Amino acid sequence: MPVVCVVYRLNTYPLIHVNFLHALFNAFALTPLMERFEAENGTLVTLAMFFGPLSTLPGALYLLVERGILRSNTAVQGASVWVFVLLGVEAMKAYRANPYFSISTVQIPTWTTPLFILVCVTALVSNTSFLGHLCALGVGYIYGLGYLKILAPPEKILRWIEGKLNLLGRLPHYVSVDQKTFGRYGVLPTSVPSSAGLGEGSVPMTFLGSTQRLGP
């Protein structure tokens, strides 16, 4: 079969699961992490990144190592790849805020926490792919360092899509471009502007579109 006919698998393999329990456990692990990512980056960016680079890059890296170096052909599937991508992202954010945590007199880098989780999952859960999860974690680390944010769609295009489809009005928990915490290149400013110079009945720009929260 031509490669072009199966390339879609690099985007869709996180949606395929072995059975109901596999999907259920992945959903429990993924939901709080994905919710946090969506609140920080917006719903459209989340969809674009997780059905784009944050699925394709771990899959391509896995194929490179599995087929190109190890000369093996073990298939992987499941949303746990997204879980480990997000664990890597969160680990790098935690590392910037608090580089180390201490166990007795030993200082351990914060970014290594997902590696311990990876080892535990591999040891305790049968038929898990250590290499697949490691590739996802590596991509998460790179994203957490900010190197992959350039792959996010431009906000101008996202605003156009939001306006045309009226997503904010139609979807009750939708997070728009103007509601998200992080911009394409860092944290958005959160300071409240002075009310001086605002006419009667005017609303400061900081509060526009900020009343709808993700989740119940």
Side-chain angles (χ1 to χ4, degrees):
M1 184 179 295
V3 174
V4 70
C5 295
V6 296
V7 72
Y8 70 92
R9 295 180 183 177
L10 283 175
N11 298 90
T12 58
Y13 68 94
L15 301 177
I16 310 301
H17 291 82
V18 176
N19 51 43
F20 175 75
L21 285 179
H22 183 207
L24 184 64
F25 289 146
N26 280 341
F28 276 133
L30 180 63
T31 299
L33 293 167
M34 187 71 80
E35 183 181 43
R36 182 181 177 92
F37 186 94
E38 183 183 12
E40 293 175 346
N41 297 278
T43 301
L44 283 184
V45 170
T46 300
L47 287 172
M49 295 303 289
F50 279 92
F51 284 99
L54 296 185
S55 291
T56 303
L57 292 178
L61 183 58
Y62 175 81
L63 288 176
L64 177 65
V65 178
E66 177 75 4
R67 299 291 297 274
I69 298 176
L70 301 180
R71 301 295 180 181
S72 185
N73 189 24
T74 304
V76 293
Q77 59 188 348
S80 58
V81 63
W82 289 342
V83 173
F84 278 92
V85 167
L86 289 168
L87 286 175
V89 174
E90 292 297 324
M92 295 313 300
K93 289 194 295 185
Y95 179 75
R96 286 196 295 267
N98 183 24
Y100 300 95
F101 65 93
S102 298
I103 298 179
S104 184
T105 59
V106 179
Q107 283 193 326
I108 301 175
T110 311
W111 65 267
T112 61
T113 304
L115 293 174
F116 293 110
I117 298 175
L118 172 58
V119 171
C120 291
V121 169
T122 304
L124 298 175
V125 183
S126 61
N127 298 322
T128 58
S129 173
F130 177 84
L131 177 59
H133 290 159
L134 185 62
C135 292
L137 189 55
V139 171
Y141 283 148
I142 296 172
Y143 185 91
L145 290 171
Y147 295 121
L148 297 181
K149 291 186 178 181
I150 190 66
L151 300 177
E155 292 184 356
K156 182 177 181 181
I157 295 177
L158 298 180
R159 287 192 177 93
W160 183 83
I161 295 174
E162 288 178 350
K164 285 292 183 180
L165 300 180
N166 190 25
L167 297 177
L168 191 60
R170 292 179 177 178
L171 303 178
H173 301 301
Y174 179 82
V175 182
S176 73
V177 174
D178 297 315
Q179 291 175 312
K180 64 184 182 177
T181 306
F182 286 85
R184 196 177 188 190
Y185 301 105
V187 182
L188 296 174
T190 56
S191 59
V192 179
S194 171
S195 58
L198 292 175
E200 185 177 356
S202 299
V203 180
M205 289 298 292
T206 302
F207 300 116
L208 287 179
S210 62
T211 58
Q212 187 175 13
R213 297 180 59 189
L214 181 71

